[in-house]
Amino acid sequence: MYKLAKSRRDMTMLFQLKKRNPSSFFQPEMNFPGVEETVEVKDQRITERLWYMGFSKKHLETLQDLNPVISPLLDELLQKVLDHLYKQSPLKRIADNNTSRDRLYGVYVRYFQSLLSGNLDDEYFAMRTRIGNTHNGAGLPVEWFLATYSAINSLLVPKVVAELHQDPDKLTNALLALTHIINLDSQLVVENYLQARMNELNELNASNAHLQKELNSISQEVAASVQQTEASINETSLKADQIRRETETTQKSSKNLLNLTNLNQTQMGEMVHAFNKVLQDVEKSISGIEALKGISEQIYHDDKRDRGYCRSDEPAGTECIY
């Protein structure tokens, strides 16, 4: 009974204390920072997003103030995050194929140094571009990249709360600053990651378009070749038909010539036979003529002899005896 009464008295005193000192408790206002408080960067699109997020210059200052708080915790934090990362099969496979644990540790250290610098300069944005391109090249799914931010916050936020829990205003600014900068980082890295993918897709589409153009050109060439081949075939067919007709004509002419040749041979044989017969007749006639000549000469000589004449070519005083 005594303990219960004491507890009730303590609660009563607590409520009375709240009523007496309302200013001693944290009472935040629900307002966005003004435009003049917003962080400005070279890229106007990012400046507009920073204003929409409520990311103010005060948050950058808070990040610089958190540097001495988080830096002593960084080694333990990163080692635990890497231990957890290598327990995830998809992340372990990508890490083993593309980097080493020591290199990853060094990348995380440089990343947190940039994160807590409070400077949104050219190097800050260039680093996020490199991270996005690296993750795309390594084939890291974007959802695992975003999940890594949550894994880091799971270990980092409780430490920050433990460090600043006695000052709600500082704790609020610290949590908002960390939330804003990590959210901005995720936007930038994912944007560069997706842009790298889009560039690859555009290059692939351009390559496909070029390939399609070449295929269309080849198709047109093949179609033209087919048409030319068909024309050549038709022309060849016509020539073949003409040759066939000419061959048939030649065959007919050859047959006619052969028939004429056979006829000529027959007629020639008959002419040779007739000529031979004529020769025989001529020879008989010549023989007959020669016989008649011989008879005529004999009659002549006999007549000369009877008359006592000698031939004119006989020498003078020759006795003409025949």
Side-chain angles (χ1 to χ4, degrees):
M1 292 292 294
Y2 173 77
K3 290 182 180 180
L4 179 61
K6 184 176 183 301
S7 176
R8 287 177 177 175
R9 286 197 302 270
D10 291 340
M11 292 181 64
T12 300
M13 292 176 61
L14 179 62
F15 285 121
Q16 289 176 349
L17 181 61
K18 288 183 178 180
K19 290 180 181 179
R20 293 175 184 174
N21 302 300
S23 59
S24 63
F25 295 91
F26 179 60
Q27 296 179 346
E29 296 181 357
M30 193 177 293
N31 293 317
F32 285 106
V35 177
E36 67 281 357
E37 301 176 62
T38 303
V39 179
E40 293 185 8
V41 295
K42 291 181 178 180
D43 192 329
Q44 184 61 30
R45 298 177 302 113
I46 297 177
T47 298
E48 292 174 355
R49 293 209 302 266
L50 293 174
W51 180 46
Y52 179 72
M53 292 164 57
F55 198 161
S56 67
K57 297 174 183 177
K58 183 178 180 180
H59 293 135
L60 291 180
E61 296 172 359
T62 301
L63 289 173
Q64 293 174 341
D65 293 338
L66 283 174
N67 199 347
V69 176
I70 296 176
S71 291
L73 307 172
L74 200 55
D75 181 68
E76 181 184 4
L77 172 69
L78 296 182
Q79 294 295 351
K80 288 183 178 295
V81 169
L82 289 173
D83 289 341
H84 194 52
L85 183 150
Y86 275 90
K87 292 178 182 178
Q88 317 307 315
S89 297
L91 298 180
K92 182 179 185 304
R93 182 175 61 254
I94 294 172
D96 289 340
N97 292 336
N98 295 276
T99 186
S100 65
R101 182 181 176 113
D102 289 341
R103 288 181 61 187
L104 272 178
Y105 179 86
V107 169
Y108 276 125
V109 169
R110 290 190 296 275
Y111 170 74
F112 268 95
Q113 290 173 346
S114 172
L115 193 76
L116 301 174
S117 67
N119 295 319
L120 300 184
D121 52 13
D122 292 341
E123 177 56 30
Y124 173 90
F125 291 106
M127 184 179 189
R128 274 65 188 171
T129 300
R130 291 194 299 271
I131 292 174
N133 292 335
T134 300
H135 288 170
N136 176 62
L140 176 66
V142 67
E143 58 270 19
W144 279 103
F145 169 74
L146 295 176
T148 301
Y149 280 120
S150 292
I152 292 172
N153 279 338
S154 295
L155 302 182
L156 181 60
V157 170
K159 288 293 184 178
V160 173
V161 171
E163 184 69 24
L164 302 176
H165 70 280
Q166 294 180 351
D167 192 333
D169 186 54
K170 285 186 177 181
L171 177 60
T172 300
N173 286 328
L175 295 178
L176 285 176
L178 288 172
T179 301
H180 285 325
I181 196 66
I182 290 176
N183 185 280
L184 176 62
D185 272 10
S186 64
Q187 293 177 38
L188 297 174
V189 173
V190 170
E191 182 179 13
N192 289 306
Y193 177 93
L194 295 178
Q195 185 60 50
R197 281 294 177 92
M198 288 299 299
N199 291 339
E200 291 180 357
L201 290 176
N202 290 334
E203 291 177 2
L204 182 61
N205 288 335
S207 178
N208 288 338
H210 180 69
L211 179 60
Q212 186 63 41
K213 184 177 180 180
E214 289 185 348
L215 290 176
N216 291 336
S217 177
I218 293 173
S219 298
Q220 292 175 359
E221 291 179 1
V222 170
S225 177
V226 169
Q227 292 177 354
Q228 184 177 2
T229 302
E230 289 179 350
S232 178
I233 291 173
N234 291 334
E235 183 179 358
T236 303
S237 178
L238 292 174
K239 288 183 178 180
D241 187 61
Q242 182 180 356
I243 292 172
R244 180 183 58 80
R245 291 196 302 270
E246 291 177 354
T247 302
E248 291 177 352
T249 303
T250 302
Q251 288 177 343
K252 291 179 181 179
S253 299
S254 298
K255 289 181 179 179
N256 293 334
L257 181 59
L258 182 59
N259 292 332
L260 290 173
T261 301
N262 293 333
L263 179 61
N264 289 337
Q265 286 179 348
T266 302
Q267 292 177 348
M268 184 64 69
E270 292 177 353
M271 290 176 65
V272 169
H273 179 71
F275 184 71
N276 289 333
K277 186 177 180 181
V278 170
L279 287 177
Q280 291 175 359
D281 291 343
V282 170
E283 288 178 354
K284 288 180 179 180
S285 297
I286 292 173
S287 297
I289 293 170
E290 288 180 349
L292 290 175
K293 180 180 178 183
I295 294 171
S296 178
E297 287 181 352
Q298 183 65 39
I299 294 172
Y300 175 77
H301 288 305
D302 289 343
D303 183 64
K304 288 284 187 181
R305 185 180 60 195
D306 292 341
R307 293 183 180 183
Y309 292 144
C310 294
R311 292 181 303 196
S312 60
D313 57 348
E314 296 286 346
T318 301
E319 184 178 359
C320 298
I321 299 176
Y322 295 96

